[in-house]
Each structure stands twice: as C-alpha cells, then as structure tokens.
Amino acid sequence: MKNIAFFFAWSMALCGARLVAQDHAAAPAYKYIRTGEVKDAPARNLSGGFALIGGGKDLDEAFVWMCRRSGGGDFLIVRAAGTDAYNPYVNSLCKQNSVATLIIPNRQAAEDSAVARIIRDSEAIFIAGGDQSNYINFWSNTPVQAALNDSIARGVPIGGTSAGLAVLGEFIYSAQNDQPNGPNLTSRDALANPFHTQITIAKDFLQITPLRGVITDSHFSSRDRLGRTLVFLARILQSGAANPARGIGIDERTAVLIAPDGSADVAGTGSAYFFQTTRPASEISPEHPLSIAAISVMKETSGKKFRLAAWTGDGIRYELSVENGSVRSTQPGGAIY
C-alpha cells in the first residue's frame, strides 16, 4: 500500500509539474495591466496630434493635451520594459474610459495578434522612455509597427518621451550599437568622428506626416546633445535621404505639441530647438572631426508657436556652424543653447 500511495503521490506531482509547465508555456510573452472600464470605449471623435516630450520628470500638460484629443477613450502606454507606473499618473490627470500599460519585451510578443488588437482598440498611445533600440529591434516589421501606423492614420493622438520621442521622427537615432548599460553617445565623440560606431540612424518606423525629414533628440541641453544632433543632420544630408535635413531637440520637462496640420505649441519649463540645413558638410569622413556651415536654429520656449510645414516660429533665430569638431554660434557671446 505504501508503494501504491507513493506512486500515486509521485504521479500527481508529475502531472502538476506538467500542468505548470504547460501553463507557463501558454502564458503570453507580453504584459497588459489595465485600470478603469473593462470594456473598450465606443468609437470616439479623435483630434489626432503628436506630443513630443523631452524626458525627465513627466509634464502634466502634455498628457492632458493627449487626453483631450482622445475623446476620453482608452489611453494606452506602450513600452518594452518597466512597470505600469504611468497608469495611476495618467488616471490622476484625466477622465478616460481606461488607462493601460502594454509591455512588449521581445519579437515574440510583438508578433502576438492580441498585442496589435490592444493597440488598435486604443484612443491615445504614449511610448514610454527606456531604450529605443528595443523598440526598433523588437517592434519593426511586426504587427506592432503596423498597428501603431494604422492608429496614426485614423487620428489617434500619439506621444513619446526620451526613447519614445526618439522613434517619432522619420529618422531615428536607434542606439542599436550601444552596449547594454553602457554610455550614451556623446556630442564630443560624435563631433570628433561623425562615423563613430554608436551613430546608427534608422528610418520610417512611424509615418507621421509633420515629422517627415526630421530627427529628434531629448534631454537636450541638460545632457549637451546639440553636437550629436548636428552630426545626425550632416549624416542624413550626406546620405541624400532628405534635403533639407531637419531636427528637433527638446529639453527635459518640455514638450512640443503638434496638431495634425503641423502647427505646434511649446509647453513646459525648458526650450525646444528646431534645426534645418541644406548645405553639405565640408568635412565628414571617418576618424575626422566634422566641419559644416549654415545650420539655422529657432529656439522656442513655453507659450511660443512653431509651424512645421513652413518651418518657422516665434522664437529666437540664430545660426550654428561646426569647424573641425567645434560648434560656433551667431548668438551674442557665442551661446550655443
């Protein structure tokens, strides 16, 4: 009897282990954490628009702007890693049908049809910060990318901060050659060698009409990212992929809030910088410092307006150049920011 009892207990344990293994295997690769109504909102009147946020502490005004343009529908935060910390934050600012976080940590998750369905059922989409190489490596050429672009086409407002901002432009500093937990690409290194191994530029992840021909960068003045943005522009122009080459650099706690027609308002405590160049670099080659002239800059602060279609705004205008890797400015005192 003891042998029979032992065999029965062993058999049940083995069966339980198999069930656990099966359940684990069947578990989705993505995570979806939702607050608010369980049932999706009916079709809403969407206003569209694009919230470009420069990183750092989140800017309430930008999220409220997105909520208003969503018609109070289902607000979705998408990311490749992290937590659902945005759920209570957005919920405290806005009256939405629901607020949810969708974590898509690999290509397996990005290929899941349920993930694309969640994205398509949302009325506002926000791409969180993190590592933009994960967004490009995991989501490109998957149903996630298709669902994001379908949502943009039907007028869903979309925004992003830091790494989430990086993937909104036509051109993207993709960080795909950065070492895990290694240092970010610095302006100093980029200016000294415009073909530095960390300079990787992707293209056409999202189809946002006002951001055609544009590359974005975040944490702009606090992390001194001007020099590397000038290198990105020189590389884009040299490649022939765009002329003019344009860039938008945004400070922390600052946002550029763009309507579908390309008219934009700047909000927050810092500045947004709008760059344009049409003149090819006079020196741009591996292991040689960059030299390029005639890069126009428009610096816009909170309350100022910018019109992306005409590439003109209300703020301070000046010009930058790079001589043998050193940035020069026409601003009084040579200020580059």
Side-chain angles (χ1 to χ4, degrees), residues 127-148:
I127 305 175
D131 182 345
Q132 62 260 39
S133 69
N134 288 334
Y135 301 154
I136 301 302
N137 291 334
F138 299 162
W139 302 352
S140 290
N141 302 311
T142 72
V144 167
Q145 183 183 20
L148 289 170

Side-chain angles (χ1 to χ4, degrees), residues 254-273:
T254 306
V256 177
L257 307 175
I258 306 172
D261 67 358
S263 59
D265 294 285
V266 177
T269 60
S271 300
Y273 303 84

Side-chain angles (χ1 to χ4, degrees), residues 210-212 214 246-248 273-276 296 298 306-313 317:
L211 296 179
R212 301 301 294 174
V214 173
R246 290 170 169 171
I248 302 175
Y273 303 84
F274 297 82
F275 303 92
Q276 178 172 266
S296 67
M298 281 164 278
F306 193 85
R307 293 161 288 282
L308 277 77
W311 208 256
T312 186
R317 297 168 179 263

Side-chain angles (χ1 to χ4, degrees), residues 104-165:
I104 314 167
N106 49 47
R107 290 192 72 84
Q108 177 190 353
E111 295 287 355
D112 194 316
S113 60
V115 168
R117 185 168 61 251
I118 290 166
I119 293 170
R120 286 193 171 93
D121 287 342
S122 301
E123 282 72 46
I125 299 170
F126 178 75
I127 305 175
D131 182 345
Q132 62 260 39
S133 69
N134 288 334
Y135 301 154
I136 301 302
N137 291 334
F138 299 162
W139 302 352
S140 290
N141 302 311
T142 72
V144 167
Q145 183 183 20
L148 289 170
N149 280 309
D150 287 349
S151 298
I152 291 167
R154 69 183 179 89
V156 171
I158 187 167
T161 187
S162 194
L165 165 64

Side-chain angles (χ1 to χ4, degrees), residues 1 43 71 96 130 192 217 235-236 265 287 296 303 306 309 313 317 336:
M1 291 295 293
Q96 298 294 121
D217 212 346
R235 286 283 304 271
I236 291 167
D265 294 285
E287 306 298 337
S296 67
F306 193 85
R317 297 168 179 263
I336 59 175

Side-chain angles (χ1 to χ4, degrees), residues 297-319:
V297 186
M298 281 164 278
K299 177 181 178 180
E300 310 288 346
T301 53
S302 183
K304 299 293 186 180
K305 294 185 178 294
F306 193 85
R307 293 161 288 282
L308 277 77
W311 208 256
T312 186
D314 302 334
I316 299 169
R317 297 168 179 263
Y318 57 103
E319 193 169 277

